[in-house]
Structures are given as C-alpha cells and as structure tokens.
Amino acid sequence: MGVSNIFNPASLCLLKSNVRQTQRPIRSFEGNQKGLIMATFSSSPSTVSVEHVNQKLSGDSFIRPHLRKLSPYQPILPFEVLSAKLGRKPEDIIKLDANENPYGPPPEVLEALGSLKFPYIYPDPESRQLRAALAEDSGIESDYILVGCGCDELIDLIMRCVLDRGDKIVDCPPTFTMYEFDAGVNGAQVIKVPRKPDFSLNIEAIAEAVEHEKPKCIFLTSPNNPDGRMQWVKKHDNLIVLRTFSKRAGLAGLRVGYGSFPLSIIEYLWRAKQPYNVSVAAEVAACAALQNPKYLELVKDALIQERDRLFKLLKEVPFLNPYPSYSNFILCEVTSGMDAKKLKDDLSKMGVMVRHYNKKELKGYIRVTAGKPGQTDALMECLRRLS
Ligand SMILES: Cc1ncc(COP(=O)(O)O)c(C=O)c1O
C-alpha cells in the first residue's frame, strides 16, 4: 500500500489530505511512540489508507482529562434544520431565540460580498482594512484593536493566553454562557457570583470574590453603544473591551467580533491567534457595514423602539413577568403555574421561536429577542391563543 505503520498503540493520528491528492507513502513516526497524529480529510474521496488501526485504546483516552468532564454547549438549531423540523419555510418562522438582528446588514454588504475579488487568496492575518475602519468608527487607534471570528473567538483566545489550568474566573450568572463554556475548555475554575434578583450585577459580592478567590479574569456584560469605553484600555492595563458585528450590523452569520486591548496584552494575543481567523468575506462585509453608519443607527433605533413596545405588550400577558432591558432581548419570568419549557415548545409548534435554558437560574424563564414589529405581533397573537 505504500503506507508505513504510523498507527502505533499509543498514538492518535492526524493527516491532512488535500482534494484529489495522489497517494504518497507516509513516513513512519518511529520516535513518537506516545505521540498524537491527526487526520483531516477534505471533501473528495481520500486516497490515504489506514493500514492498521489498533483496537486497544479507545479515542477518549486521548482527550485531556478536564475536557472529558465538559458539558456540551446548548446551541440553537440551525435555521434550515429548524425549518425542516417545524415543516415551515424559514421565512415563515418567527425567530426570536438567538438575539439576531432581523434587519440584517446594510445593502452595501451584499453588494460587496457579490463582487469579492480574491476569495481564493488567504485573508489578511492582521485584518488591516477592518481595523483601520474600526479605528475611525471607535476613535481608538488600530494598534489597540484585534478582530476575531466573532467575540466568541476572542473570549477563547483571551482565556488561552491568560489562564493556566486551575486558574479562576468570575462569572455572574445568568449571563452570556460562553464565559463558563470557554473556561471549561481551558481548564479554569468558574467562581459564580449570581446577579441580584433584578439581574443587576452584585458589585459587593464581586469585590468579595476578587478578594477571597483571586480570580485571573472577571467577565462583565454591559450593553452599550460604541462609545468611549473602548478608550479605557489605554488607562487600565487589566481591561479588555469586546464588541460584536453580530447585533449592530446584522452579521451574526459571518462571525466578526473585535476588541480593544492594552498594548501589553494585545502583543501576546497576536502571537497566539489563528493567522487566518477573519475570512475575506467577513472582513469585506464588516468594512462595507461601517460605510453606512446611518443605516446602522436607524436599525438600532428601530430595535430599541420595538424592544420597548414588546416590553409593554409582554407586561400585559397574565403569565409573564418581563424584566426591563437595555439590550436586544427581554427576559421573562413565566408565572401563574405555567411551565417555561412547555411554553417555549408550544410557541415553537406555532412557528415562534423563543429561548429557554435548562440551567437552574433560568429554568422558569424564557428569553425573547426584540425583532421587527410584525414578529412582535405574531408572538403576541400566539401568546393570546395560549392564554
Ligand atoms: C455578551 C456577549 N458577548 C459576546 C457575544 C458573542 O458575539 P459574537 O456573535 O461576535 O461571537 C454575545 C452574543 O450574543 C454576547 O451576548
């Protein structure tokens, strides 16, 4: 077969096979008896042959111990899968479960994506055009800015660069769930400082946790417009401010997030990040979105107006207790003996998606994204039918 036996008992194998590559002998990794070898196969039939797969060790024995205990992330269903499951066309689904911006990006984005010149060339590892545009947009020099494949990537990158195994982070649930998830992936310990009953941050308890637990990172979420806060990293060597294009520019599907970082930290993130983390399409789209700030502002105003209308309407529902919100979603306590999970399921059968979490702090709650006026009306009609 021309393939040496690299599949020794104590090794896992990774081979990268390109599309339609001809079969080549693979050299033996003789000195690597306890090593890890891996294989990534492209979409066409692979020509790499596995001559011998040792049966003694199961795959999970290769997995790092702390990852074997990791709970899976609770994702929402992809739109197409959801559409097939509900037997409804995607455009007939009222999607208020993932805090997406239903207006999408400004028209410049689709035009720019339709005329991509060099999709076959790897992207700029430094996302120079986008960082320059963001510097203009935010008022902080591009040296302080790093762009990622969504804020999600940046949160993971920060943890990878900062945390040693066993280090602690402070998380303030209920909150964005990726902090806890990424801490788990990075082997960190999560110190939970729950929010107050009105879901505001418990500052005294956070200060206490900092004093006693000595965490390496504290994650705080605060919905805000792009304002002077990005500049604060110039004054504080221990502050990072993250922002996303997912909400403001309706680009959740293209994955673009960014942050401002102290220069003494960003240097190391540059070294550790994946070189091509922001795709050509993502950078082009984000730059195009920033060219139309008027559109972004109009959409923001429309969503704020709709959120406030939604809040008033939800307050009238006898089995819901909505909490005031400064973001693009409203959290509602489900009251009057109604089960929150069942409510979510009943709404989904009617084509209206809202979010429910199994986590203990949020078991009796649903979360509703602020959408377009027609989406609010459809949700309210379904809630009326369930009353
Ligand atoms: C507080 C917070 N941080 C980060 C993110 C993730 O942003 P991105 O879509 O850029 O990964 C979200 C998304 O909902 C969020 O709510």
Side-chain angles (χ1 to χ4, degrees):
M1 298 280 281
V3 178
S4 315
N5 180 13
I6 58 174
F7 301 95
N8 68 59
S11 303
L12 179 67
C13 306
L14 191 148
L15 304 172
K16 166 83 170 68
S17 166
N18 286 332
V19 179
R20 298 196 186 286
Q21 204 175 349
T22 49
Q23 195 170 325
R24 268 187 280 142
I26 297 163
R27 281 200 304 123
S28 170
F29 288 67
E30 273 161 35
N32 192 16
Q33 293 302 304
K34 293 233 159 47
L36 173 79
I37 315 168
M38 290 172 256
T40 313
F41 297 102
S42 302
S43 50
S44 77
S46 169
T47 55
V48 176
S49 312
V50 175
E51 203 172 54
H52 168 71
V53 177
N54 190 285
Q55 301 292 321
K56 277 187 201 148
L57 284 178
S58 76
D60 63 2
S61 63
F62 292 104
I63 303 297
R64 298 166 72 193
H66 72 278
L67 292 179
R68 282 185 229 149
K69 289 182 232 129
L70 194 68
S71 318
Y73 182 67
Q74 194 191 338
I76 48 148
L77 285 177
F79 215 12
E80 293 76 11
V81 177
L82 183 65
S83 160
K85 189 175 166 214
L86 297 178
R88 286 173 194 266
K89 287 189 272 177
E91 49 275 28
D92 294 338
I93 298 172
I94 309 295
K95 196 170 179 319
L96 303 174
D97 59 347
N99 299 343
E100 286 128 344
N101 174 345
Y103 290 96
E108 285 85 348
V109 169
L110 295 184
E111 281 161 31
L113 288 175
S115 53
L116 277 186
K117 281 208 196 95
F118 304 114
Y120 52 92
I121 302 287
Y122 283 107
D124 173 7
E126 294 182 28
S127 309
R128 274 166 262 229
Q129 283 193 7
L130 179 53
R131 284 172 48 242
L134 283 169
E136 207 164 301
D137 179 66
S138 66
I140 188 164
E141 296 85 338
S142 60
D143 287 352
Y144 292 87
I145 300 174
L146 186 71
V147 186
C149 176
C151 281
D152 286 353
E153 189 209 5
L154 295 177
I155 294 166
D156 180 54
L157 179 62
I158 292 163
M159 291 204 200
R160 279 199 288 122
C161 289
V162 167
L163 299 173
D164 281 315
R165 271 205 65 193
D167 276 349
K168 296 171 183 173
I169 71 151
V170 162
D171 188 37
C172 303
T175 187
F176 187 50
T177 48
M178 292 302 283
Y179 307 139
E180 186 176 0
F181 173 81
D182 284 323
V185 172
N186 286 287
Q189 204 183 319
V190 179
I191 307 298
K192 295 191 183 192
V193 181
R195 286 166 181 258
K196 291 181 182 168
D198 67 354
F199 294 116
S200 61
L201 290 169
N202 188 340
I203 305 293
E204 297 78 26
I206 293 172
E208 212 166 290
V210 169
E211 173 83 17
H212 291 112
E213 302 286 353
K214 310 274 184 269
K216 201 95 174 264
C217 299
I218 306 166
F219 289 88
L220 305 172
T221 54
S222 157
N224 218 286
N225 298 327
D227 61 11
R229 286 186 193 190
M230 291 198 69
Q231 306 271 358
W232 291 2
V233 303
K234 287 181 172 179
K235 287 203 204 114
H236 304 280
D237 243 18
N238 62 343
L239 177 71
I240 292 170
V241 180
L242 297 182
R243 298 206 181 284
T244 177
F245 275 83
S246 299
K247 326 286 164 169
R248 181 182 175 209
L251 287 180
L254 281 165
R255 313 302 300 122
V256 201
Y258 61 103
S260 62
F261 301 82
L263 296 179
S264 53
I265 291 180
I266 201 168
E267 181 192 340
Y268 297 95
L269 301 187
W270 278 117
R271 295 185 202 183
K273 87 169 183 72
Q274 294 292 326
Y276 303 121
N277 58 335
V278 180
S279 74
V280 170
E283 182 169 17
V284 160
C287 287
L290 290 175
Q291 278 166 22
N292 195 344
K294 214 181 211 172
Y295 174 97
L296 302 182
E297 207 55 21
L298 276 175
V299 165
K300 185 192 77 185
D301 292 345
L303 288 172
I304 289 176
Q305 201 175 328
E306 197 53 26
R307 177 196 67 205
D308 295 346
R309 184 173 86 95
L310 176 66
F311 179 79
K312 284 187 195 131
L313 290 169
L314 291 171
K315 240 181 148 35
E316 288 163 18
V317 178
F319 51 84
L320 291 180
N321 176 26
Y323 283 72
S325 165
Y326 297 99
S327 191
N328 67 336
F329 62 86
I330 294 178
L331 191 67
C332 300
E333 186 183 3
V334 179
T335 61
S336 313
M338 196 173 262
D339 182 76
K341 169 80 169 57
K342 182 168 183 316
L343 174 59
K344 179 226 135 108
D345 291 341
D346 289 346
L347 285 171
S348 104
K349 281 178 204 146
M350 293 188 252
V352 176
M353 305 307 299
V354 299
R355 189 92 198 240
H356 172 262
Y357 289 92
N358 285 325
K359 287 184 171 288
K360 75 170 177 349
E361 313 98 12
L362 289 177
K363 254 198 157 64
Y365 294 78
I366 56 166
R367 191 194 68 187
V368 186
T369 302
K372 291 181 176 178
Q375 295 178 307
T376 303
D377 294 342
L379 165 71
M380 296 315 298
E381 176 52 31
C382 292
L383 287 171
R384 254 188 296 278
R385 277 196 257 153
L386 290 173
S387 290

